Amino acid sequence: MHPTSVSIIGLGPMGRAMAAVYLDAGHEVTVWNRSPGKDTDLVARGARRAATAAEAVAASALTVLSLIDVDAMYTALDGADLSGRTLVNLSSDVPDKAREAALWVAERGAAYLTGGVNVPPSGIGQEGSTAFVSGPEEVYAAHRETLDLLVETDYRGADPGHAQLYYQLNMIMFWTSMTGFHQAVAVAQAHGLTAADVLPHAAYTTDSMRGFLGFYAPRIDAGEHGGDVDRLAMCAASVEHILHTAADAGVDTGILAAHADLFRRGLAAGLGEDSSSRLVGLLREPAVAGVSG
Ligand code: NDP
Protein backbone atom coordinates (compact mmCIF):
# COMPACT_ATOMS: atom_id res chain seq x y z
CA MET A 1 0.00 0.00 0.00
CA HIS A 2 1.30 3.44 -0.92
CA PRO A 3 1.96 5.41 2.31
CA THR A 4 -0.06 8.37 1.11
CA SER A 5 -2.84 6.51 -0.60
CA VAL A 6 -6.34 7.95 -0.16
CA SER A 7 -9.69 6.65 -1.32
CA ILE A 8 -12.63 8.91 -2.05
CA ILE A 9 -16.15 7.50 -1.93
CA GLY A 10 -18.75 9.77 -3.52
CA LEU A 11 -17.93 11.85 -6.57
CA GLY A 12 -20.41 14.69 -6.51
CA PRO A 13 -18.81 18.11 -7.05
CA MET A 14 -17.33 17.96 -3.53
CA GLY A 15 -15.81 14.48 -3.78
CA ARG A 16 -14.41 15.26 -7.23
CA ALA A 17 -12.76 18.43 -5.90
CA MET A 18 -11.23 16.45 -3.03
CA ALA A 19 -9.90 13.71 -5.30
CA ALA A 20 -8.42 16.36 -7.61
CA VAL A 21 -6.55 18.02 -4.73
CA TYR A 22 -5.05 14.69 -3.64
CA LEU A 23 -4.01 13.91 -7.22
CA ASP A 24 -2.38 17.35 -7.48
CA ALA A 25 -0.53 16.66 -4.23
CA GLY A 26 0.88 13.44 -5.67
CA HIS A 27 -1.17 11.02 -3.61
CA GLU A 28 -2.23 7.66 -4.92
CA VAL A 29 -6.00 8.12 -5.24
CA THR A 30 -8.70 5.46 -5.56
CA VAL A 31 -12.23 6.61 -6.33
CA TRP A 32 -15.67 5.08 -6.28
CA ASN A 33 -19.09 6.47 -7.12
CA ARG A 34 -22.48 4.75 -7.18
CA SER A 35 -23.35 5.97 -10.67
CA PRO A 36 -20.85 5.60 -13.47
CA GLY A 37 -19.27 8.45 -15.40
CA LYS A 38 -18.35 10.90 -12.63
CA ASP A 39 -14.79 9.61 -12.36
CA THR A 40 -13.78 10.01 -16.01
CA ASP A 41 -11.62 13.12 -15.58
CA LEU A 42 -10.08 11.82 -12.37
CA VAL A 43 -9.17 8.47 -13.92
CA ALA A 44 -7.66 10.31 -16.90
CA ARG A 45 -5.50 12.17 -14.40
CA GLY A 46 -4.27 8.98 -12.72
CA ALA A 47 -6.92 8.00 -10.19
CA ARG A 48 -7.69 4.32 -9.83
CA ARG A 49 -11.33 3.33 -10.33
CA ALA A 50 -12.61 0.87 -7.71
CA ALA A 51 -15.35 -1.51 -8.81
CA THR A 52 -17.05 -1.31 -5.43
CA ALA A 53 -16.95 0.93 -2.38
CA ALA A 54 -15.53 -2.04 -0.43
CA GLU A 55 -12.67 -2.22 -2.93
CA ALA A 56 -12.03 1.51 -2.47
CA VAL A 57 -11.78 1.08 1.31
CA ALA A 58 -9.43 -1.88 0.87
CA ALA A 59 -7.14 0.15 -1.39
CA SER A 60 -6.12 2.83 1.15
CA ALA A 61 -5.57 3.18 4.87
CA LEU A 62 -7.59 6.39 4.71
CA THR A 63 -10.97 6.73 3.01
CA VAL A 64 -12.82 10.03 2.75
CA LEU A 65 -16.57 9.81 2.19
CA SER A 66 -18.41 12.67 0.49
CA LEU A 67 -22.00 11.48 0.18
CA ILE A 68 -25.45 13.00 0.37
CA ASP A 69 -25.84 11.82 3.99
CA VAL A 70 -24.87 9.15 6.50
CA ASP A 71 -27.41 6.59 5.27
CA ALA A 72 -25.61 6.54 1.93
CA MET A 73 -22.54 5.23 3.73
CA TYR A 74 -24.49 2.26 5.08
CA THR A 75 -25.72 1.46 1.58
CA ALA A 76 -22.32 1.88 -0.03
CA LEU A 77 -20.36 -0.08 2.58
CA ASP A 78 -22.88 -2.79 3.41
CA GLY A 79 -20.85 -5.98 3.91
CA ALA A 80 -17.47 -4.30 3.30
CA ASP A 81 -14.45 -5.32 5.36
CA LEU A 82 -13.52 -2.13 7.22
CA SER A 83 -11.16 -3.64 9.80
CA GLY A 84 -8.01 -1.63 10.41
CA ARG A 85 -9.08 1.19 8.12
CA THR A 86 -9.83 4.83 8.85
CA LEU A 87 -12.96 6.44 7.47
CA VAL A 88 -13.46 10.21 7.46
CA ASN A 89 -17.06 10.99 6.66
CA LEU A 90 -17.38 14.58 5.43
CA SER A 91 -21.02 14.11 4.43
CA SER A 92 -23.61 16.38 6.00
CA ASP A 93 -26.01 14.91 8.53
CA VAL A 94 -27.49 15.52 11.96
CA PRO A 95 -25.37 15.04 15.11
CA ASP A 96 -27.20 11.91 16.31
CA LYS A 97 -26.78 10.24 12.92
CA ALA A 98 -23.06 11.01 13.11
CA ARG A 99 -22.89 9.35 16.54
CA GLU A 100 -24.76 6.27 15.29
CA ALA A 101 -22.45 6.08 12.30
CA ALA A 102 -19.38 6.19 14.56
CA LEU A 103 -20.73 3.16 16.47
CA TRP A 104 -21.54 1.35 13.21
CA VAL A 105 -17.99 1.85 11.96
CA ALA A 106 -16.40 0.95 15.31
CA GLU A 107 -18.36 -2.32 15.38
CA ARG A 108 -16.64 -3.14 12.07
CA GLY A 109 -13.17 -2.50 13.47
CA ALA A 110 -12.39 0.81 11.77
CA ALA A 111 -11.45 4.25 13.08
CA TYR A 112 -13.84 7.10 12.28
CA LEU A 113 -13.89 10.85 12.07
CA THR A 114 -16.88 12.90 11.08
CA GLY A 115 -16.92 16.38 9.66
CA GLY A 116 -18.66 19.17 7.85
CA VAL A 117 -17.01 21.26 5.15
CA ASN A 118 -17.64 25.01 5.34
CA VAL A 119 -16.83 25.89 1.73
CA PRO A 120 -18.16 25.00 -1.72
CA PRO A 121 -16.17 22.63 -3.96
CA SER A 122 -14.21 25.58 -5.38
CA GLY A 123 -12.80 26.18 -1.89
CA ILE A 124 -11.29 22.71 -1.54
CA GLY A 125 -7.50 22.99 -1.44
CA GLN A 126 -7.70 26.78 -1.02
CA GLU A 127 -6.18 28.73 1.83
CA GLY A 128 -8.67 29.90 4.44
CA SER A 129 -11.14 27.07 3.77
CA THR A 130 -12.25 25.21 6.86
CA ALA A 131 -14.10 22.11 8.00
CA PHE A 132 -15.23 20.99 11.44
CA VAL A 133 -13.95 17.54 12.39
CA SER A 134 -14.58 15.42 15.48
CA GLY A 135 -13.84 11.93 16.73
CA PRO A 136 -10.99 10.26 18.63
CA GLU A 137 -8.08 12.69 19.06
CA GLU A 138 -5.43 10.12 18.13
CA VAL A 139 -7.22 9.37 14.86
CA TYR A 140 -7.42 13.08 14.11
CA ALA A 141 -3.74 13.56 14.96
CA ALA A 142 -2.76 10.69 12.66
CA HIS A 143 -4.63 12.07 9.64
CA ARG A 144 -4.73 15.79 10.24
CA GLU A 145 -1.95 16.59 7.79
CA THR A 146 -3.63 14.67 4.97
CA LEU A 147 -7.03 16.19 5.71
CA ASP A 148 -5.60 19.70 5.92
CA LEU A 149 -4.63 19.42 2.25
CA LEU A 150 -8.36 19.65 1.53
CA VAL A 151 -9.34 22.29 4.10
CA GLU A 152 -7.98 23.55 7.37
CA THR A 153 -9.61 21.22 9.88
CA ASP A 154 -11.12 22.68 13.04
CA TYR A 155 -11.10 19.87 15.61
CA ARG A 156 -14.23 19.91 17.76
CA GLY A 157 -13.39 17.11 20.22
CA ALA A 158 -14.01 13.41 20.62
CA ASP A 159 -17.82 13.44 20.38
CA PRO A 160 -18.51 12.39 16.78
CA GLY A 161 -21.70 14.45 16.82
CA HIS A 162 -19.95 17.69 17.65
CA ALA A 163 -18.51 18.46 14.22
CA GLN A 164 -21.96 18.00 12.71
CA LEU A 165 -23.52 20.18 15.41
CA TYR A 166 -21.17 23.06 14.61
CA TYR A 167 -21.63 22.43 10.90
CA GLN A 168 -25.43 22.45 11.13
CA LEU A 169 -25.34 25.69 13.18
CA ASN A 170 -23.47 27.23 10.27
CA MET A 171 -25.99 25.75 7.86
CA ILE A 172 -28.89 27.29 9.82
CA MET A 173 -27.24 30.66 9.22
CA PHE A 174 -26.42 29.84 5.61
CA TRP A 175 -29.77 28.48 4.45
CA THR A 176 -31.92 31.07 6.20
CA SER A 177 -29.71 33.80 4.69
CA MET A 178 -29.85 32.27 1.22
CA THR A 179 -33.62 31.90 1.52
CA GLY A 180 -33.76 35.58 2.47
CA PHE A 181 -31.86 36.38 -0.71
CA HIS A 182 -34.16 34.17 -2.80
CA GLN A 183 -37.20 35.87 -1.23
CA ALA A 184 -35.78 39.33 -1.95
CA VAL A 185 -35.04 38.39 -5.56
CA ALA A 186 -38.57 36.98 -6.01
CA VAL A 187 -40.07 40.28 -4.82
CA ALA A 188 -37.59 42.25 -6.96
CA GLN A 189 -38.45 40.19 -10.07
CA ALA A 190 -42.16 40.82 -9.47
CA HIS A 191 -41.26 44.51 -9.81
CA GLY A 192 -39.22 44.01 -12.98
CA LEU A 193 -35.84 44.10 -11.21
CA THR A 194 -33.12 41.46 -11.47
CA ALA A 195 -30.92 39.53 -9.05
CA ALA A 196 -28.08 41.79 -10.21
CA ASP A 197 -30.08 44.82 -9.07
CA VAL A 198 -30.49 43.26 -5.63
CA LEU A 199 -26.90 42.04 -5.32
CA PRO A 200 -24.99 45.11 -4.09
CA HIS A 201 -27.61 45.96 -1.48
CA ALA A 202 -27.97 42.33 -0.35
CA ALA A 203 -24.18 42.08 -0.06
CA TYR A 204 -24.05 45.30 1.98
CA THR A 205 -26.70 43.96 4.35
CA THR A 206 -24.95 40.60 4.65
CA ASP A 207 -21.62 42.29 5.38
CA SER A 208 -23.25 44.40 8.09
CA MET A 209 -24.54 41.27 9.83
CA ARG A 210 -21.10 40.65 11.40
CA GLY A 211 -21.55 43.86 13.40
CA PHE A 212 -25.06 42.91 14.51
CA LEU A 213 -23.98 39.42 15.59
CA GLY A 214 -20.97 40.80 17.45
CA PHE A 215 -23.20 43.26 19.28
CA TYR A 216 -25.95 40.82 20.26
CA ALA A 217 -24.02 37.62 21.10
CA PRO A 218 -22.45 38.88 24.35
CA ARG A 219 -25.70 40.55 25.41
CA ILE A 220 -27.64 37.32 24.82
CA ASP A 221 -25.07 35.32 26.79
CA ALA A 222 -25.30 37.88 29.61
CA GLY A 223 -29.12 37.69 29.58
CA GLU A 224 -29.38 41.38 28.59
CA HIS A 225 -32.39 42.06 26.37
CA GLY A 226 -32.98 45.76 26.95
CA GLY A 227 -34.80 47.70 24.26
CA ASP A 228 -32.19 50.47 24.27
CA VAL A 229 -31.17 49.88 20.64
CA ASP A 230 -34.05 47.95 19.14
CA ARG A 231 -37.55 47.39 20.50
CA LEU A 232 -39.24 44.16 19.52
CA ALA A 233 -42.38 46.21 18.79
CA MET A 234 -40.43 48.23 16.18
CA CYS A 235 -38.93 45.02 14.72
CA ALA A 236 -42.38 43.38 14.55
CA ALA A 237 -43.72 46.36 12.60
CA SER A 238 -40.76 46.12 10.21
CA VAL A 239 -41.37 42.39 9.72
CA GLU A 240 -45.04 43.12 8.92
CA HIS A 241 -43.80 45.58 6.28
CA ILE A 242 -41.67 42.93 4.53
CA LEU A 243 -44.55 40.43 4.71
CA HIS A 244 -46.96 42.91 3.12
CA THR A 245 -44.43 44.08 0.52
CA ALA A 246 -44.11 40.43 -0.57
CA ALA A 247 -47.89 39.90 -0.49
CA ASP A 248 -48.48 43.06 -2.56
CA ALA A 249 -45.95 41.73 -5.11
CA GLY A 250 -47.98 38.51 -5.41
CA VAL A 251 -45.13 36.20 -4.41
CA ASP A 252 -45.14 33.32 -1.92
CA THR A 253 -45.40 34.62 1.66
CA GLY A 254 -45.13 31.35 3.59
CA ILE A 255 -41.68 31.97 5.03
CA LEU A 256 -42.26 35.63 5.82
CA ALA A 257 -45.63 34.81 7.43
CA ALA A 258 -43.91 32.28 9.72
CA HIS A 259 -41.36 34.95 10.53
CA ALA A 260 -44.08 37.48 11.33
CA ASP A 261 -45.87 34.91 13.52
CA LEU A 262 -42.77 34.61 15.67
CA PHE A 263 -42.61 38.37 16.20
CA ARG A 264 -46.37 38.47 16.95
CA ARG A 265 -45.78 35.81 19.63
CA GLY A 266 -43.18 38.11 21.11
CA LEU A 267 -45.67 40.97 21.25
CA ALA A 268 -48.36 38.69 22.69
CA ALA A 269 -45.90 37.63 25.40
CA GLY A 270 -45.52 41.28 26.41
CA LEU A 271 -41.95 41.61 25.16
CA GLY A 272 -42.56 44.60 22.87
CA GLU A 273 -40.36 47.00 24.81
CA ASP A 274 -37.45 44.52 25.00
CA SER A 275 -34.89 43.76 22.31
CA SER A 276 -35.75 41.35 19.50
CA SER A 277 -33.07 39.11 21.03
CA ARG A 278 -35.90 37.93 23.31
CA LEU A 279 -36.93 35.77 20.33
CA VAL A 280 -34.14 33.32 21.25
CA GLY A 281 -36.11 32.43 24.36
CA LEU A 282 -39.34 32.07 22.36
CA LEU A 283 -37.59 29.79 19.88
CA ARG A 284 -36.57 27.59 22.79
CA GLU A 285 -40.25 27.17 23.71
CA PRO A 286 -41.42 26.14 20.27
CA ALA A 287 -44.93 26.72 19.04
CA VAL A 288 -43.94 24.42 16.17
CA ALA A 289 -41.67 21.49 17.03
CA GLY A 290 -40.51 18.39 15.23
CA VAL A 291 -40.28 17.82 11.51
CA SER A 292 -43.15 17.55 9.08
CA GLY A 293 -43.09 16.51 5.46
P1 NDP B 1 -24.05 15.58 -4.41
O1 NDP B 1 -25.45 15.48 -3.93
O2 NDP B 1 -23.79 16.23 -5.70
O3 NDP B 1 -23.39 14.14 -4.46
C1 NDP B 1 -23.76 13.21 -3.49
C2 NDP B 1 -23.00 11.93 -3.65
O4 NDP B 1 -23.64 10.96 -2.81
C3 NDP B 1 -22.98 11.36 -5.07
O5 NDP B 1 -21.73 10.77 -5.27
C4 NDP B 1 -24.09 10.31 -4.99
O6 NDP B 1 -23.92 9.25 -5.91
C5 NDP B 1 -23.87 9.79 -3.58
N1 NDP B 1 -24.99 9.05 -3.07
C6 NDP B 1 -26.23 9.54 -2.78
N2 NDP B 1 -26.99 8.54 -2.30
C7 NDP B 1 -26.23 7.43 -2.30
C8 NDP B 1 -26.45 6.09 -1.90
N3 NDP B 1 -27.62 5.70 -1.40
N4 NDP B 1 -25.43 5.21 -2.03
C9 NDP B 1 -24.23 5.59 -2.51
N5 NDP B 1 -23.94 6.85 -2.91
C10 NDP B 1 -24.95 7.76 -2.79
O7 NDP B 1 -23.25 16.29 -3.20
P2 NDP B 1 -21.92 17.19 -3.18
O8 NDP B 1 -20.81 16.48 -3.83
O9 NDP B 1 -22.25 18.57 -3.58
O10 NDP B 1 -21.70 17.23 -1.60
C11 NDP B 1 -21.28 16.09 -0.89
C12 NDP B 1 -21.40 16.37 0.60
O11 NDP B 1 -20.68 17.55 0.91
C13 NDP B 1 -22.85 16.59 1.05
O12 NDP B 1 -23.06 15.98 2.30
C14 NDP B 1 -22.97 18.09 1.15
O13 NDP B 1 -23.93 18.51 2.11
C15 NDP B 1 -21.56 18.47 1.57
N6 NDP B 1 -21.22 19.84 1.18
C16 NDP B 1 -21.42 20.24 -0.11
C17 NDP B 1 -21.15 21.52 -0.51
C18 NDP B 1 -21.38 21.99 -1.90
O14 NDP B 1 -21.36 23.22 -2.11
N7 NDP B 1 -21.56 21.12 -2.88
C19 NDP B 1 -20.63 22.52 0.49
C20 NDP B 1 -20.36 21.95 1.80
C21 NDP B 1 -20.68 20.67 2.12
P3 NDP B 1 -24.57 9.34 -7.40
O15 NDP B 1 -23.60 10.12 -8.21
O16 NDP B 1 -24.69 7.92 -7.79
O17 NDP B 1 -25.90 10.02 -7.25
Side-chain angles (χ1 to χ4, degrees):
M1 189 182 301
H2 192 282
T4 54
S5 61
V6 183
S7 293
I8 306 285
I9 289 181
L11 299 176
M14 190 56 96
R16 291 201 298 276
M18 290 174 175
V21 164
Y22 282 134
L23 284 171
D24 288 345
H27 285 51
E28 186 175 280
V29 178
T30 300
V31 294
W32 178 82
N33 194 65
R34 176 182 61 175
S35 317
K38 292 190 178 173
D39 59 6
T40 310
D41 290 350
L42 296 166
V43 170
R45 292 179 52 192
R48 179 172 166 268
R49 176 184 293 141
T52 61
E55 195 182 299
V57 170
S60 310
L62 177 68
T63 294
V64 175
L65 297 105
S66 179
L67 298 167
I68 189 79
D69 56 21
V70 160
D71 287 343
M73 175 180 77
Y74 301 138
T75 316
L77 294 180
D78 185 31
D81 178 7
L82 307 183
S83 54
R85 299 296 187 226
T86 298
L87 306 186
V88 179
N89 197 339
L90 299 180
S91 315
S92 170
D93 216 314
V94 300
D96 283 348
K97 285 265 193 177
R99 294 185 182 108
E100 283 168 24
L103 292 174
W104 187 89
V105 171
E107 281 164 9
R108 286 156 182 79
Y112 189 69
L113 295 173
T114 183
V117 177
N118 294 320
V119 292
S122 58
I124 300 300
Q126 303 299 314
E127 207 173 308
S129 298
T130 63
F132 299 119
V133 173
S134 64
E137 193 163 4
E138 66 279 10
V139 179
Y140 173 63
H143 297 285
R144 177 180 183 171
E145 204 176 317
T146 311
L147 295 173
D148 279 356
L149 286 174
L150 301 177
V151 277
E152 189 184 326
T153 50
D154 180 356
Y155 182 63
R156 290 283 133 186
D159 178 349
H162 246 179
Q164 286 298 339
L165 173 61
Y166 277 92
Y167 176 69
Q168 299 307 339
L169 294 177
N170 267 2
M171 288 295 98
I172 288 171
M173 291 298 300
F174 179 78
W175 285 122
T176 52
S177 301
M178 284 305 294
T179 302
F181 180 60
H182 297 152
Q183 181 83 61
V185 172
V187 174
Q189 285 181 343
H191 288 277
L193 301 171
T194 65
D197 293 324
V198 175
L199 176 61
H201 314 294
Y204 175 87
T205 303
T206 303
D207 290 348
S208 75
M209 288 305 292
R210 172 180 285 274
F212 284 101
L213 306 183
F215 174 76
Y216 284 109
R219 284 168 60 117
I220 291 170
D221 284 346
E224 291 169 14
H225 300 284
D228 51 319
V229 175
D230 71 304
R231 290 182 316 112
L232 193 142
M234 175 279 290
C235 300
S238 172
V239 167
E240 296 291 344
H241 299 157
I242 61 172
L243 171 61
H244 287 278
T245 299
D248 292 348
V251 306
D252 191 284
T253 55
I255 289 162
L256 296 179
H259 201 188
D261 275 349
L262 178 65
F263 281 78
R264 289 173 195 153
R265 276 174 58 207
L267 293 180
L271 303 173
E273 295 306 308
D274 286 353
S275 166
S276 60
S277 61
R278 280 281 187 212
L279 295 179
V280 175
L282 284 188
L283 287 164
R284 293 197 60 189
E285 297 163 12
V288 179
V291 178
S292 63

